[in-house]
Amino acid sequence: QVQLVESGGGLVQAGGSLRLSCAASGGTFSNYAMAWFRQAPGKEREFVSQINWSGDIQYYADSVKGRAAVSRDNAKNIVYLQMNSLKPEDTAVYYCAAKRGIIWYDGDEADYWGQGTQVTVSS
């Protein structure tokens, strides 16, 4: 059983930056592809970014491309999401997710989810 704990969310002004962290425990971290999702009030959860098991392949949703950077430290069992030039529409609860395997394919379901961290961007 893998536990995922997100942190780093908060209130930030538009144009600001945040770095979200997701600490994993209870499993072999490098056995999992990791991803970030978000859910805004009244909206469905959406994909934000993913990173493969080794950290050398990343994908981003068009809505954050160029403003986000995902990375991981397999020695520390942490995955990060750096978000820059934040916009009010980035306001959401951000979730970390893990999927057993080397990479996250379209349609794959997460094996584990974190509890989420709130990001609020004020205009």
Side-chain angles (χ1 to χ4, degrees):
Q1 186 78 8
V2 173
Q3 293 81 42
L4 303 173
V5 179
E6 301 95 333
S7 60
L11 175 62
V12 63
Q13 287 189 333
S17 298
L18 280 176
R19 188 176 80 158
L20 307 182
S21 300
C22 172
S25 61
T28 303
F29 187 58
S30 59
N31 285 349
Y32 294 86
M34 301 298 295
W36 289 93
F37 292 79
R38 67 186 182 186
Q39 187 167 20
K43 296 187 177 182
E44 293 187 353
R45 186 168 56 200
E46 63 174 1
F47 166 80
V48 176
S49 179
Q50 66 134 313
I51 187 166
N52 74 326
W53 73 278
S54 60
D56 58 349
I57 299 174
Q58 306 92 30
Y59 291 104
Y60 301 94
D62 288 343
S63 57
V64 302
K65 200 171 293 182
R67 301 188 296 117
V70 62
S71 60
R72 66 189 293 164
D73 186 334
N74 285 349
K76 295 182 178 178
N77 292 356
I78 298 178
V79 60
Y80 303 99
L81 181 67
Q82 177 72 40
M83 293 284 293
N84 303 318
S85 301
L86 283 161
K87 306 175 182 180
E89 50 264 43
D90 293 318
T91 296
V93 177
Y94 284 70
Y95 297 93
C96 170
K99 188 196 76 70
R100 192 174 289 105
I102 60 173
I103 199 166
W104 205 298
Y105 294 101
D106 283 347
D108 281 347
E109 295 291 332
D111 292 306
Y112 303 101
W113 291 94
Q115 84 291 347
T117 186
Q118 176 71 48
V119 172
T120 303
V121 184
S122 62
S123 57

